[in-house]
Structure formats: C-alpha cells, structure tokens
Amino acid sequence: MLKAFSWQDFLLAATILTLIWYLLVWILFYRKSEPLSPIPLPHAWEEEFDQLDEQDNLMGKPAMEHGVSIVQAEDFSFAERELRDEYPDQLEDPPELREEIKTICKIIASEDGTKEDFFSLFEMLKDKYPEIASSSALADLNEFISEHVPFQLSDQELENIWS
C-alpha cells in the first residue's frame, strides 16, 4: 500500500500538514486578546498604592502536614520513663517481636524444620530483644510461641528459650 505513494506525494502532504499545524498554533496562542482586567493594578510608584502587610498573604498561610506540630524546645523530650509508665505492655512486648516469631515459625513449617532449627533461629531474635528475658509479658509470649510453632514445646523448653 505504501508503494503507491511517491516521495513527492509524501513531501507535499508533510508540508501541507505542517502549515496547518503552525496556523492552528498561531491562531490559538498568538492572536490579539483583550486584557482580562480593564483596570490596571496599582504600582509602588503611584500615590494610592497600599502596601500589603506581612500578615496579609495573598496565598494564605501554608498548611502543615498531617500529624506535624510546632512545639517549643522545652516542651520536646524523649520521654522514655514516662512512656514506660503509660504503656508498659507496648515497650515490653513490641509488635515487631510477635511478627518476627510468626516469620520464624512459618520458615520452620515450610522447610520441615526441627526444634533445633527453631532454637538456633530464635537465638538471633533473643539477641535482638535482650530486654524481653526480664519482661513481665514473658508468659504471654511463651503462649504465643506455643500456638504458632509447628511442633509441641514443653513448659521447660519455653522457659529455657529466653535464658
């Protein structure tokens, strides 16, 4: 089908389409337009010019991101002691620990691991969270572990797992 067109036909069509394109661009963007406002804005050198106050911002005040607040320096601190008093369970039993225990149990179940494999993987977790060994949430964690492991752990094994 393309063999029916000669180079002269192609160049003629390309020239005509290019001229139409530039004509449309010129009509849309370069035509003479009326000013939007018949009254010109005041300039600083004119007498009736009223300066804007710094408080009057034409765009309005910038909005802060969600959850961000401005505080004074004396109001800001890393209040670990107060947090331990308010949320003792959250600090002694972090949710990340439970997720990592679930991950270890899934790995053991998917690869047909043994108790020894579980204990060796759990050593890394115990090193990562050393404060858990003296936590008051230890009984809850042991119950959580016994629910998720693919084999039976005795009470003695669960107690020895943290020491």
Side-chain angles (χ1 to χ4, degrees):
M1 180 173 149
L2 294 177
K3 292 181 181 180
F5 295 106
S6 68
W7 278 104
Q8 290 176 342
D9 294 337
F10 169 74
L11 292 175
L12 178 65
T15 304
I16 291 172
L17 290 175
T18 303
L19 288 174
I20 291 172
W21 172 258
Y22 280 110
L23 180 66
L24 288 173
V25 168
W26 185 79
I27 288 173
L28 290 175
F29 295 108
Y30 293 106
R31 65 181 177 192
K32 186 76 172 174
S33 62
E34 296 180 22
L36 296 176
S37 171
I39 302 170
L41 294 174
H43 296 283
W45 59 83
E46 294 178 359
E47 290 179 19
E48 63 268 359
F49 180 73
D50 183 25
Q51 278 193 329
L52 296 174
D53 293 335
E54 287 184 22
Q55 296 172 350
D56 296 336
N57 190 349
L58 292 176
M59 297 295 290
K61 291 184 179 181
M64 297 183 66
E65 293 182 22
H66 179 70
V68 175
S69 63
I70 298 175
V71 296
Q72 298 297 325
E74 59 268 3
D75 296 335
F76 178 76
S77 68
F78 294 101
E80 184 175 294
R81 189 176 322 121
E82 291 87 12
L83 284 178
R84 285 191 189 276
D85 294 339
E86 285 185 44
Y87 306 106
D89 295 338
Q90 189 74 8
L91 294 173
E92 292 179 355
D93 181 13
E96 302 90 34
L97 175 63
R98 290 186 182 252
E99 286 300 317
E100 290 186 37
I101 290 172
K102 282 183 190 177
T103 304
I104 289 174
C105 292
K106 286 179 186 175
I107 291 171
I108 295 296
S110 66
E111 297 186 11
D112 296 329
T114 62
K115 286 185 183 181
E116 290 77 24
D117 296 332
F118 175 75
F119 292 137
S120 63
L121 287 174
F122 202 80
E123 282 295 320
M124 294 185 295
L125 192 61
K126 188 171 63 172
D127 292 339
K128 188 174 180 181
Y129 299 99
E131 68 275 358
I132 299 298
S134 61
S135 170
S136 63
L138 202 56
D140 292 337
L141 282 173
N142 286 342
E143 184 179 329
F144 182 79
I145 292 170
S146 64
E147 290 174 2
H148 287 86
V149 290
F151 40 77
Q152 185 68 29
L153 288 174
S154 68
D155 292 336
Q156 183 66 27
E157 288 173 327
L158 283 173
E159 287 180 21
N160 292 337
I161 201 170
W162 297 104
S163 55

